[in-house]
Amino acid sequence: MVSGMKTIRVGLIGGGVMAKAHSLAYENLHLYYSPKLPEIERVRLAEVDEQLARTGAERFGWSDWTTNWRDIVDDPTIDAVDIVTPNDLHAPIAIAAARAGKHVLCEKPLARTGPEAREMVDAAKQAGVKAMVGYNYRKAPAVAYARELIAMGKLGRILSFRGYYLQDWGLEPSGPLTWRFQAGRAGTGSLGDIGAHVIDMARFLVGEVESVSGLLETFVKHRPLPESRPIPGDGRLADGALSLGVVDVDDVATVLLRFDNGATGLIDATRLAPGRKNHLAWEINGDRGSLAFNWERSNELHYYAPDEDPRAEGFRTILTGPLHPNGAELWPLAGFGTGYLESTLILLRDFFWSIADGSPVAPDFEDGWRICEIMDAIVRSSHERRWVSATSS
Amino acid sequence: MVSGMKTIRVGLIGGGVMAKAHSLAYENLHLYYSPKLPEIERVRLAEVDEQLARTGAERFGWSDWTTNWRDIVDDPTIDAVDIVTPNDLHAPIAIAAARAGKHVLCEKPLARTGPEAREMVDAAKQAGVKAMVGYNYRKAPAVAYARELIAMGKLGRILSFRGYYLQDWGLEPSGPLTWRFQAGRAGTGSLGDIGAHVIDMARFLVGEVESVSGLLETFVKHRPLPESRPIPGDGRLADGALSLGVVDVDDVATVLLRFDNGATGLIDATRLAPGRKNHLAWEINGDRGSLAFNWERSNELHYYAPDEDPRAEGFRTILTGPLHPNGAELWPLAGFGTGYLESTLILLRDFFWSIADGSPVAPDFEDGWRICEIMDAIVRSSHERRWVSATSS
Amino acid sequence: MVSGMKTIRVGLIGGGVMAKAHSLAYENLHLYYSPKLPEIERVRLAEVDEQLARTGAERFGWSDWTTNWRDIVDDPTIDAVDIVTPNDLHAPIAIAAARAGKHVLCEKPLARTGPEAREMVDAAKQAGVKAMVGYNYRKAPAVAYARELIAMGKLGRILSFRGYYLQDWGLEPSGPLTWRFQAGRAGTGSLGDIGAHVIDMARFLVGEVESVSGLLETFVKHRPLPESRPIPGDGRLADGALSLGVVDVDDVATVLLRFDNGATGLIDATRLAPGRKNHLAWEINGDRGSLAFNWERSNELHYYAPDEDPRAEGFRTILTGPLHPNGAELWPLAGFGTGYLESTLILLRDFFWSIADGSPVAPDFEDGWRICEIMDAIVRSSHERRWVSATSS
Amino acid sequence: MVSGMKTIRVGLIGGGVMAKAHSLAYENLHLYYSPKLPEIERVRLAEVDEQLARTGAERFGWSDWTTNWRDIVDDPTIDAVDIVTPNDLHAPIAIAAARAGKHVLCEKPLARTGPEAREMVDAAKQAGVKAMVGYNYRKAPAVAYARELIAMGKLGRILSFRGYYLQDWGLEPSGPLTWRFQAGRAGTGSLGDIGAHVIDMARFLVGEVESVSGLLETFVKHRPLPESRPIPGDGRLADGALSLGVVDVDDVATVLLRFDNGATGLIDATRLAPGRKNHLAWEINGDRGSLAFNWERSNELHYYAPDEDPRAEGFRTILTGPLHPNGAELWPLAGFGTGYLESTLILLRDFFWSIADGSPVAPDFEDGWRICEIMDAIVRSSHERRWVSATSS
């Protein structure tokens, strides 16, 4: 800990899979980033399911637990709140936390709709707190380096973006109707769950989205109703499924894009692509070079650039290592392997660094809101079967 | 030659790059397929440029040459006509040839528009001649095997198609304004030049296209005007380019699709993707398995299928060889390498087999026309910024 | 923590790169494996450099520090010792620790020579303590699953092994003459540093090595002498390098193998392969199937197996996930990315599980000794320019 | 045809698989290389099996056929002889042809042993004829470009070579005991059949081989005896196999190398590697860069080179096209696919160009002889279990 830096006291709200993922990152912050980071104290975990709350706190290293998230938001000793709940709880918690003067890190998508997200932006702005949205994938060294290359002009003018997030766990029809399949709780389906990450990549790397033409489809239209509340973030069939419920969100979202800078783009997000496990992938073509990435090989960036001998040109498979952005603290050599844990670690590091030194967070709630707006436009476009503006105002 | 099979006398119309590609295939038909094929006689090559006509005939093994394609169509001794001209000449030549009772093989796209293509279909039907369109890529063993796997139900119900044709030769702004950049001659740009192949793959592998939402864009808006007629099919800058002309076709075509069977799809075709050379690639997801292909590795098919041990599941890189469809005559082992030549060879073999035994050709003019219709719909959709039906009637 | 399980108190000896890597694993054990694991207490870190010792203890979460490793070995409250020093210190520390009744985890290679390693085996046996050697890579789910497939007979009879460990950091001639380049401290160069991991893979997956023909070479024969003791495990040029010293270890080790079961093999280990960063890779051919792996894509196992349709056969790219051995606790889906950290985590888990439940450790000191014996044989073979037995007795 | 160039009249000796492969290349020479090449006339094919001779001549485009190779060698109108027989016939035919003043192209390996090959070299030298050996793979644009990069110093000093030729067709134990499994006819097994190509690559790209340590093994020790003479070059089980015969050649050949320039190397050649179809692959590490290649993706060269930004360094996947050596005449764009046919085409082109303009051929009989010498040394080394010099004198 840097002398003089105040310990930051954190509360975590949510006890599912993402609670574990974030907790792993908290656990490692000190080893990777001390003494550059302030000390982070894991004060309390809130989770409505008491059993999950208790074991989560114990296993994930949180000193205390509660079943009521207000016990965190209302605790004057807590500096920052980390929200890993289902999507419908993001707004009420984040707004309450901001109003209570707490810095907020909220999982993605920021909210179920653009207007809901907008309220969160406004609350955070009014309160003057740091407000970050958890688009962790952009923190991977390969992605961060891609942005640097683009910023350096290595690709020239950007012409085309193709982005995907393909998974296959949705193919199992016996997978229960968790909140991820319910519009009321999740907002959208594949679009918000995984497509949102692609939109984040598109904005991070190419620029603002101007308009969209979207196609949403639901192939698996019914799923078993769990008798009781399903375990958040967990796709397994809970005991006691008795009957089928209706899936009212998309499981495939395919989109054409037009960016403000004139580039064209396309996005495909589906949880129904056999063999694709965590295939968050994109390719960007400029008029001078290209970049490509796939999270399933998260240490690699593929880069095509001119060479003084055109015969020597080819896509380069760059293995990220200590020289790449965000890579210095990970491993002393390239090729040791970094993944989801490391991307979340860097996200949290950036959050706490911003709190400590007052610098802006990125991605912030404004980013989170724009992504929600673009998703709203995609939904509307799919209904109206036409292009629509990606800007609400 | 099978005894009793009549020699087939052929005329080739066009003297550019595709004339060489087809001639190579003619040259090799005998060695690969004799004695199962009738003997093929290369009677005459027609090309409006006399110099090209003479040297083309000599080098490509055609007994005679002419600068007037009617010398082929009107020759009663000629059985079949192979058309490798710019697109605007496809219809007049094919229609005249069909009316003269000749079998016709026509390069793709079949015509500049659906209605133009429809006249070709009608003429061929009326004449009762074999009428094939040159979508050669589907003849590659990897693609033909993909179709077999789908037909066998290995992928289950098809859910999604993603198809691309990415090249980068269009990035050179000094590349001259050949006919490929002129709507009057080509119909469309990337869409018809390379996107048409993707549409062929989509229909061949997934099924008929029901509706589309397209986005066409032209990034390189001007190109040098060659003083004289550019060499057909050749991208090199002809001598004497003096000033710039307007490119009035797309160089990027991005499309959302809906298939008759309910599957969703997307297509991206561009000649402006640095590092992509002949990247005709697609992925198909069914509810039980997936397939993926990229022409740049034309001997490979990627196939994901269930295994009795789910831990052993992964995309398989299948190297095509003698066991795969169309592979038996190529090499005695997999991995020796087959490419564009072989795909054209198989296309021609199928054309002449059909002539010899009366069986239907595939892809036929009807396929070629449907692809033109779908392209018309994409153009209209791009103008109207909405989904449109892919069927004219 | 399982009730009734005693807390295990650990001392770490060494303060370099591997101290950080192990400490990261200690930090995460609880989150990943609680409550199945006993509680692990990080009691003390020993490092001869006082500055490193102090900061290491603080940053890596060790309660106390010392510059004298005997303060750990002689501490009766400590249950287990973890040795991450340069190779020459492995034997004295491990032997003293075992004699003091402590369980020992020792980094690889176990010792500088076979006889030195043998003394360690004997001491541990006599003391009846758990004695593990740190070949972590075999713990990766992909490698553990490969072993299962082989054990299930999926490859049939093993015929051939090809193994590599290729890096490129040794190419920098200004890299200082750290202990890794000194025979007196390291034993051998690339052979023991990285080749040892390949030998571990070979024995783990194929079986015992019967004889070897080795070729050792040193291309970079001199390196800058650091004025003071170089930072252990750190390849950076320390301040004050004044003159060149002699590298008396190999930087390339190439080996032919014969296994006890008749299989043939080859190994190549080098720190001079431009572009290869952490390329620990192997391929195994049986008479019924093949497996291939590369640590640079540590989540992937490549598997070729017969299929009822031989046309559907191809190397499968398996993405490891929760179903694979050692994978259940990592991520709920495949493709999230696991790497060096996770492999070390599993190594430590196995060590402490064995201490807790009395089961044997693997890889144990006997494995470590055999690898040293095989390396001795490789060195002798290279000198004598002939095949030698890989067994000393 | 260039005016003034004399037509070259050729006889082909052998009627198996390689007869077809060469004939395909002959068929295409004119289309690819006219008018730069003299006209090539396929005069006569010799094959001891009369049925094969007749159908071979007809299908492969040879004007005449004979069952006695002396009808070619003794024909004064024939300028050049192309030998595609089993290995034991190479020397008698080539020597007779050279003495008759004919240029000779002989398939690889040049002979069964170094001394036998030496006689061929001497006969060709004495006769002053062009004498080429058929190592076609080095003619692929990717390989030829690799050599250029090395010659330009792009890799710096060469340190290591790793070369493989892996196939799997030998795994089928019912594959008959063709001449390829008989030492008397073939000389060696995998070593001469496929390993010879790797040695050619090693010498072509790295330099002369100084010494070797080899390990030969035969895993499939018996194969069905065909009642009658097996079809040359054909691995299928002939009708009437009655009993098993002994395989007296290697099916695995694994080798350590030392080059004259100090580089180290290894070679592995096997026909028993499941899933590897035509895996002729190599990697070369210099002290400044690396190259890698695999024939199964024969259009790709992998190249690692320094970049002014070390973060942008990665293996480049170069797709060969018209700019690469030997590529100009193939396709106008990269990525169309070239394979075995094209490599043989270039080999023959070079042979006939040398005949036409008097320039030296490469690879010549001297190369073929050196490869035989190195293979002799590998065999001796395997017997004596020690390193041996790769030079006979």
Side-chain angles (χ1 to χ4, degrees):
Chain A
M1 179 181 64
V2 166
S3 67
M5 272 200 286
K6 182 180 158 294
T7 293
I8 300 176
R9 291 170 51 86
V10 183
L12 181 73
I13 302 178
V17 161
M18 293 309 297
K20 180 181 172 186
H22 279 231
S23 296
L24 280 168
Y26 282 104
E27 185 75 22
N28 287 282
L29 277 170
H30 186 70
L31 267 81
Y32 280 99
Y33 299 112
S34 177
K36 291 181 204 153
L37 261 193
E39 198 159 332
I40 312 299
E41 196 178 328
R42 279 170 274 172
V43 176
R44 189 173 297 124
L45 180 150
E47 158 61 44
V48 68
D49 178 313
E50 181 174 331
Q51 168 68 11
L52 267 183
R54 185 171 33 229
T55 62
E58 183 181 341
R59 292 186 50 196
F60 304 156
W62 297 84
S63 307
D64 190 13
W65 60 268
T66 171
T67 57
N68 185 348
W69 58 263
R70 297 201 179 270
D71 293 340
I72 286 176
V73 167
D74 296 342
D75 180 341
T77 75
I78 285 182
D79 303 300
V81 175
D82 183 354
I83 305 169
V84 293
T85 63
N87 303 346
D88 56 332
L89 294 173
H90 289 183
I93 298 173
I95 291 167
R99 288 183 182 155
K102 292 171 196 339
H103 304 293
V104 186
L105 170 61
C106 181
E107 259 304 322
K108 41 59 54 188
L110 189 59
R112 291 168 298 178
T113 65
E116 191 176 53
R118 187 66 230 177
E119 290 182 49
M120 298 165 76
V121 173
D122 293 342
K125 282 205 169 160
Q126 212 158 349
V129 295
K130 300 294 170 199
M132 192 182 211
V133 60
Y135 288 105
N136 59 301
Y137 289 122
R138 59 153 80 180
K139 300 296 185 182
V143 180
Y145 182 52
R147 179 161 150 125
E148 271 197 37
L149 287 167
I150 292 169
M152 290 160 70
K154 293 292 188 180
L155 263 58
R157 175 187 175 196
I158 304 300
L159 305 180
S160 298
F161 172 84
R162 285 177 287 284
Y164 316 91
Y165 204 144
L166 313 179
Q167 297 184 328
D168 66 2
W169 60 269
L171 284 160
E172 179 51 56
S174 69
L177 193 76
T178 65
W179 67 268
R180 291 182 192 274
F181 296 101
Q182 303 170 21
R185 304 213 63 193
T188 57
S190 278
L191 180 60
D193 186 19
I194 51 180
H197 279 294
V198 187
I199 300 172
D200 182 58
M201 291 283 178
R203 292 181 70 254
F204 183 59
L205 297 167
V206 177
E208 192 54 87
V209 176
E210 186 260 347
S211 53
V212 296
S213 172
L215 170 59
L216 304 185
E217 179 56 275
T218 308
F219 287 108
V220 183
K221 293 182 168 30
H222 298 87
R223 290 182 179 277
L225 273 177
E227 202 174 36
S228 59
R229 172 177 164 284
I231 304 167
D234 188 321
R236 287 173 305 166
L237 179 57
D239 286 346
L242 294 174
S243 53
L244 293 176
V246 173
V247 175
D248 58 0
V249 295
D250 57 288
D251 39 31
V252 174
T254 307
V255 187
L256 299 187
L257 308 175
R258 173 71 80 173
F259 291 88
D260 279 357
N261 59 18
T264 65
L266 59 84
I267 287 178
D268 202 20
T270 173
R271 300 179 290 211
L272 305 180
R276 301 305 179 190
K277 302 304 178 183
N278 203 41
H279 195 89
L280 170 58
W282 45 257
E283 176 166 333
I284 298 172
N285 304 129
D287 61 9
R288 295 190 52 216
S290 293
L291 288 165
F293 175 80
N294 169 11
W295 186 269
E296 289 169 347
R297 293 175 170 171
S298 56
N299 305 289
E300 297 179 10
L301 181 66
H302 298 261
Y303 173 38
Y304 184 88
D307 192 279
E308 54 183 7
D309 180 353
R311 303 177 307 166
E313 294 171 5
F315 269 91
R316 305 169 186 198
T317 301
I318 298 172
L319 283 170
T320 56
L323 297 177
H324 295 96
N326 298 338
E329 298 88 353
L330 300 182
W331 296 110
L333 295 176
F336 273 66
T338 57
Y340 192 91
L341 170 58
E342 285 80 1
S343 68
T344 310
L345 183 72
I346 299 162
L347 184 86
L348 263 68
R349 176 202 68 177
D350 288 354
F351 180 58
F352 292 114
W353 269 355
S354 289
I355 293 175
D357 70 8
S359 63
V361 291
D364 63 12
F365 272 21
E366 195 102 11
D367 292 304
W369 160 68
R370 276 297 299 143
I371 293 170
C372 288
E373 275 209 321
I374 294 164
M375 294 195 296
D376 287 353
I378 291 166
V379 172
R380 199 163 60 247
S381 163
S382 178
H383 288 155
E384 302 180 2
R385 295 174 59 77
R386 60 173 187 86
W387 282 81
V388 303
S389 163
T391 311
S392 61
S393 50
Chain B
M1 181 181 63
V2 165
S3 66
M5 272 202 288
K6 182 181 158 291
T7 293
I8 300 177
R9 291 170 51 86
V10 185
L12 180 74
I13 301 177
V17 161
M18 294 309 297
K20 179 180 173 187
H22 280 230
S23 296
L24 280 167
Y26 282 103
E27 185 76 21
N28 286 281
L29 277 170
H30 187 69
L31 267 81
Y32 280 99
Y33 299 111
S34 176
K36 293 181 203 154
L37 260 193
E39 198 160 333
I40 312 298
E41 196 179 328
R42 279 170 273 171
V43 176
R44 189 174 298 124
L45 180 149
E47 159 60 45
V48 68
D49 179 312
E50 181 174 331
Q51 168 67 11
L52 267 183
R54 186 171 33 229
T55 61
E58 183 183 341
R59 290 187 48 197
F60 304 157
W62 297 84
S63 306
D64 190 15
W65 60 270
T66 172
T67 56
N68 185 347
W69 58 264
R70 297 198 180 271
D71 294 339
I72 286 175
V73 167
D74 296 343
D75 180 341
T77 74
I78 285 182
D79 303 300
V81 174
D82 184 353
I83 305 170
V84 293
T85 63
N87 302 346
D88 54 333
L89 294 173
H90 289 182
I93 298 173
I95 291 168
R99 288 183 182 159
K102 293 173 195 335
H103 305 293
V104 186
L105 170 61
C106 181
E107 260 305 322
K108 40 60 52 189
L110 188 58
R112 292 167 298 179
T113 67
E116 190 176 54
R118 186 66 230 178
E119 290 182 50
M120 299 165 77
V121 173
D122 293 341
K125 282 204 171 161
Q126 213 159 349
V129 297
K130 300 292 169 200
M132 191 182 211
V133 59
Y135 288 105
N136 60 301
Y137 289 122
R138 58 153 79 181
K139 300 296 183 182
V143 180
Y145 182 52
R147 178 159 152 128
E148 271 195 39
L149 287 167
I150 292 170
M152 291 160 69
K154 293 292 188 181
L155 264 58
R157 176 187 174 196
I158 304 301
L159 306 180
S160 298
F161 171 84
R162 284 177 287 284
Y164 316 92
Y165 204 146
L166 313 179
Q167 298 184 327
D168 65 4
W169 61 269
L171 284 159
E172 179 51 56
S174 69
L177 193 77
T178 66
W179 66 268
R180 290 181 193 275
F181 295 104
Q182 303 171 21
R185 303 213 63 192
T188 58
S190 278
L191 180 59
D193 185 20
I194 51 180
H197 279 294
V198 187
I199 300 173
D200 182 59
M201 291 282 178
R203 293 180 71 254
F204 182 60
L205 297 167
V206 177
E208 192 53 86
V209 175
E210 187 261 347
S211 53
V212 296
S213 172
L215 170 59
L216 304 185
E217 179 57 275
T218 307
F219 287 109
V220 182
K221 292 180 169 34
H222 297 87
R223 289 183 178 277
L225 272 177
E227 200 174 36
S228 57
R229 171 177 163 285
I231 305 167
D234 188 323
R236 286 172 306 166
L237 180 58
D239 286 347
L242 295 173
S243 53
L244 293 177
V246 173
V247 175
D248 57 1
V249 296
D250 57 288
D251 40 30
V252 175
T254 307
V255 187
L256 299 187
L257 309 175
R258 174 71 80 171
F259 291 87
D260 278 357
N261 60 18
T264 64
L266 59 82
I267 287 177
D268 202 20
T270 173
R271 299 180 290 212
L272 305 180
R276 301 305 179 189
K277 302 303 179 184
N278 202 42
H279 195 87
L280 170 59
W282 44 258
E283 175 167 333
I284 298 172
N285 304 129
D287 61 9
R288 296 189 54 214
S290 293
L291 288 166
F293 175 79
N294 169 11
W295 186 270
E296 289 169 347
R297 292 174 172 172
S298 56
N299 305 288
E300 297 179 9
L301 180 66
H302 298 260
Y303 173 38
Y304 183 88
D307 191 281
E308 55 183 5
D309 181 354
R311 304 178 306 168
E313 293 171 4
F315 270 90
R316 304 168 188 199
T317 301
I318 298 172
L319 283 170
T320 56
L323 298 177
H324 294 94
N326 300 338
E329 298 87 353
L330 300 182
W331 296 110
L333 295 176
F336 274 67
T338 57
Y340 193 91
L341 170 58
E342 286 80 2
S343 69
T344 309
L345 184 71
I346 299 163
L347 183 86
L348 263 67
R349 176 201 68 177
D350 288 355
F351 180 57
F352 292 114
W353 268 356
S354 289
I355 293 174
D357 70 7
S359 64
V361 291
D364 63 11
F365 272 22
E366 195 101 13
D367 292 304
W369 159 67
R370 275 298 298 143
I371 293 170
C372 288
E373 276 209 321
I374 294 165
M375 294 196 296
D376 287 354
I378 290 166
V379 171
R380 199 163 60 248
S381 165
S382 179
H383 288 154
E384 302 180 2
R385 294 175 57 78
R386 60 174 186 87
W387 282 81
V388 304
S389 163
T391 311
S392 61
S393 51
Chain C
M1 179 182 62
V2 165
S3 68
M5 273 201 288
K6 184 182 157 291
T7 292
I8 301 177
R9 292 170 50 87
V10 184
L12 180 73
I13 303 178
V17 161
M18 294 308 298
K20 178 180 173 188
H22 280 231
S23 296
L24 280 168
Y26 281 103
E27 185 77 20
N28 287 284
L29 277 171
H30 186 70
L31 267 80
Y32 279 99
Y33 299 111
S34 177
K36 293 182 201 153
L37 261 193
E39 198 159 331
I40 311 298
E41 195 179 331
R42 280 170 272 171
V43 177
R44 188 173 297 124
L45 179 149
E47 160 59 45
V48 68
D49 179 313
E50 183 175 327
Q51 168 68 9
L52 268 183
R54 185 171 33 231
T55 62
E58 184 183 340
R59 291 187 49 198
F60 304 157
W62 297 83
S63 307
D64 190 13
W65 60 270
T66 171
T67 58
N68 185 347
W69 58 264
R70 295 198 181 272
D71 293 341
I72 286 175
V73 167
D74 295 342
D75 180 341
T77 76
I78 284 181
D79 303 299
V81 175
D82 184 353
I83 306 170
V84 293
T85 63
N87 303 345
D88 56 332
L89 293 173
H90 290 182
I93 298 172
I95 291 167
R99 288 184 182 154
K102 293 171 195 341
H103 304 294
V104 186
L105 170 61
C106 182
E107 259 305 322
K108 43 59 51 190
L110 189 58
R112 292 168 299 179
T113 66
E116 191 176 54
R118 186 67 228 177
E119 288 183 51
M120 299 165 76
V121 173
D122 293 342
K125 281 204 169 161
Q126 214 159 350
V129 295
K130 301 293 171 201
M132 193 183 210
V133 60
Y135 288 106
N136 59 301
Y137 289 122
R138 59 152 80 180
K139 300 296 185 182
V143 180
Y145 181 53
R147 180 161 151 127
E148 271 196 38
L149 287 167
I150 293 170
M152 291 160 70
K154 294 290 189 184
L155 265 57
R157 178 188 173 196
I158 305 300
L159 305 180
S160 298
F161 171 84
R162 285 176 288 283
Y164 316 91
Y165 205 145
L166 313 179
Q167 297 183 328
D168 66 2
W169 59 270
L171 284 160
E172 178 52 57
S174 69
L177 194 77
T178 66
W179 66 269
R180 289 182 194 273
F181 295 104
Q182 302 171 23
R185 304 214 62 192
T188 58
S190 278
L191 180 59
D193 185 20
I194 51 179
H197 279 293
V198 187
I199 301 173
D200 182 59
M201 292 282 179
R203 292 180 70 255
F204 182 60
L205 296 168
V206 178
E208 192 53 88
V209 176
E210 188 261 346
S211 54
V212 295
S213 173
L215 170 59
L216 304 185
E217 179 57 273
T218 308
F219 286 109
V220 182
K221 293 183 167 34
H222 298 87
R223 288 183 179 275
L225 272 178
E227 202 174 35
S228 59
R229 172 177 163 286
I231 304 166
D234 187 322
R236 286 173 305 167
L237 180 58
D239 286 347
L242 295 173
S243 53
L244 293 176
V246 173
V247 175
D248 58 359
V249 296
D250 57 286
D251 38 30
V252 175
T254 308
V255 187
L256 299 187
L257 307 175
R258 174 71 82 171
F259 291 88
D260 278 358
N261 60 18
T264 64
L266 59 82
I267 287 176
D268 202 19
T270 174
R271 299 180 292 212
L272 305 181
R276 300 305 179 189
K277 302 304 178 183
N278 203 39
H279 196 88
L280 170 58
W282 45 257
E283 175 167 333
I284 298 173
N285 304 129
D287 60 10
R288 296 190 52 216
S290 294
L291 288 166
F293 175 79
N294 169 13
W295 187 270
E296 289 169 348
R297 293 173 171 174
S298 56
N299 305 290
E300 297 179 9
L301 180 65
H302 298 260
Y303 172 39
Y304 183 88
D307 191 280
E308 54 184 7
D309 180 354
R311 303 178 306 168
E313 293 171 5
F315 270 90
R316 304 169 187 198
T317 300
I318 298 171
L319 283 171
T320 57
L323 297 177
H324 294 95
N326 299 336
E329 298 88 353
L330 300 181
W331 296 111
L333 295 176
F336 274 67
T338 58
Y340 192 91
L341 169 59
E342 285 80 1
S343 69
T344 309
L345 182 73
I346 299 162
L347 184 87
L348 261 69
R349 176 201 67 176
D350 287 354
F351 180 58
F352 292 114
W353 268 356
S354 289
I355 292 174
D357 71 6
S359 64
V361 291
D364 65 10
F365 272 22
E366 196 101 12
D367 293 304
W369 159 68
R370 276 298 297 143
I371 293 169
C372 288
E373 275 211 322
I374 294 164
M375 294 197 294
D376 287 355
I378 291 166
V379 172
R380 200 161 62 249
S381 165
S382 179
H383 288 154
E384 301 182 1
R385 295 176 55 78
R386 62 176 185 85
W387 283 81
V388 303
S389 164
T391 313
S392 62
S393 51
Chain D
M1 179 183 63
V2 165
S3 67
M5 273 201 288
K6 182 180 157 294
T7 293
I8 300 177
R9 291 170 51 85
V10 183
L12 180 73
I13 302 178
V17 162
M18 294 307 298
K20 179 180 173 187
H22 280 230
S23 296
L24 280 169
Y26 282 103
E27 185 76 22
N28 287 283
L29 276 170
H30 186 69
L31 267 80
Y32 280 99
Y33 300 112
S34 178
K36 294 183 202 150
L37 261 192
E39 197 159 332
I40 311 297
E41 194 178 332
R42 279 170 273 171
V43 176
R44 189 174 296 127
L45 178 150
E47 159 59 46
V48 68
D49 179 312
E50 183 176 327
Q51 167 68 10
L52 268 182
R54 186 170 34 228
T55 62
E58 184 183 341
R59 291 187 50 197
F60 304 156
W62 297 84
S63 308
D64 189 16
W65 59 270
T66 171
T67 58
N68 185 348
W69 58 263
R70 296 199 181 271
D71 293 340
I72 286 175
V73 167
D74 295 343
D75 180 343
T77 74
I78 285 182
D79 302 300
V81 175
D82 184 352
I83 306 170
V84 294
T85 64
N87 303 346
D88 56 331
L89 293 174
H90 290 182
I93 298 172
I95 291 168
R99 287 184 182 155
K102 292 171 196 339
H103 304 293
V104 186
L105 169 61
C106 182
E107 259 305 320
K108 43 57 55 190
L110 189 58
R112 292 168 299 179
T113 67
E116 192 176 53
R118 187 66 230 176
E119 289 182 50
M120 298 165 77
V121 173
D122 293 342
K125 282 206 170 160
Q126 215 160 347
V129 295
K130 300 295 170 198
M132 191 182 212
V133 61
Y135 288 105
N136 59 301
Y137 289 121
R138 59 153 80 181
K139 299 296 184 181
V143 180
Y145 181 52
R147 179 160 151 128
E148 271 195 38
L149 288 167
I150 293 170
M152 290 159 71
K154 293 292 188 181
L155 264 58
R157 178 187 172 195
I158 304 300
L159 305 180
S160 298
F161 171 83
R162 285 176 288 284
Y164 315 92
Y165 204 146
L166 313 179
Q167 298 183 328
D168 65 3
W169 60 269
L171 284 160
E172 179 51 56
S174 69
L177 193 76
T178 66
W179 68 267
R180 291 183 192 273
F181 295 103
Q182 303 171 22
R185 304 213 63 193
T188 58
S190 279
L191 180 59
D193 186 21
I194 50 180
H197 278 294
V198 188
I199 300 173
D200 182 59
M201 291 282 179
R203 292 180 70 253
F204 182 60
L205 296 168
V206 178
E208 192 54 87
V209 175
E210 187 260 346
S211 54
V212 295
S213 173
L215 170 59
L216 304 185
E217 180 56 274
T218 308
F219 286 108
V220 182
K221 293 181 167 34
H222 298 86
R223 289 184 179 275
L225 273 177
E227 201 174 36
S228 59
R229 174 177 162 284
I231 303 166
D234 188 322
R236 288 172 304 166
L237 180 57
D239 285 347
L242 296 173
S243 53
L244 294 176
V246 173
V247 175
D248 58 359
V249 296
D250 57 288
D251 38 31
V252 176
T254 307
V255 187
L256 300 187
L257 307 174
R258 174 71 81 171
F259 291 87
D260 279 359
N261 60 17
T264 64
L266 59 83
I267 287 176
D268 203 19
T270 174
R271 299 180 292 212
L272 305 180
R276 301 305 180 189
K277 302 304 179 184
N278 203 40
H279 195 88
L280 170 58
W282 44 258
E283 176 168 332
I284 298 172
N285 304 129
D287 60 9
R288 296 190 52 215
S290 293
L291 287 166
F293 175 80
N294 169 13
W295 186 270
E296 290 169 346
R297 292 174 172 173
S298 56
N299 305 290
E300 296 179 10
L301 180 65
H302 299 260
Y303 173 38
Y304 183 89
D307 191 281
E308 55 184 5
D309 180 353
R311 303 178 307 168
E313 292 171 5
F315 270 90
R316 305 169 187 197
T317 300
I318 298 172
L319 282 171
T320 56
L323 298 177
H324 294 95
N326 300 337
E329 298 88 351
L330 300 181
W331 296 111
L333 295 176
F336 273 67
T338 58
Y340 192 91
L341 170 60
E342 285 80 1
S343 69
T344 309
L345 183 72
I346 300 163
L347 184 87
L348 262 68
R349 176 201 67 178
D350 288 355
F351 180 57
F352 292 114
W353 267 355
S354 289
I355 292 175
D357 70 6
S359 64
V361 291
D364 64 10
F365 272 22
E366 196 103 11
D367 292 304
W369 159 68
R370 275 298 297 143
I371 293 171
C372 287
E373 276 210 321
I374 293 164
M375 294 197 294
D376 287 354
I378 290 166
V379 172
R380 199 161 62 247
S381 164
S382 179
H383 288 153
E384 301 180 2
R385 295 176 55 79
R386 60 175 186 84
W387 282 82
V388 303
S389 164
T391 313
S392 61
S393 51

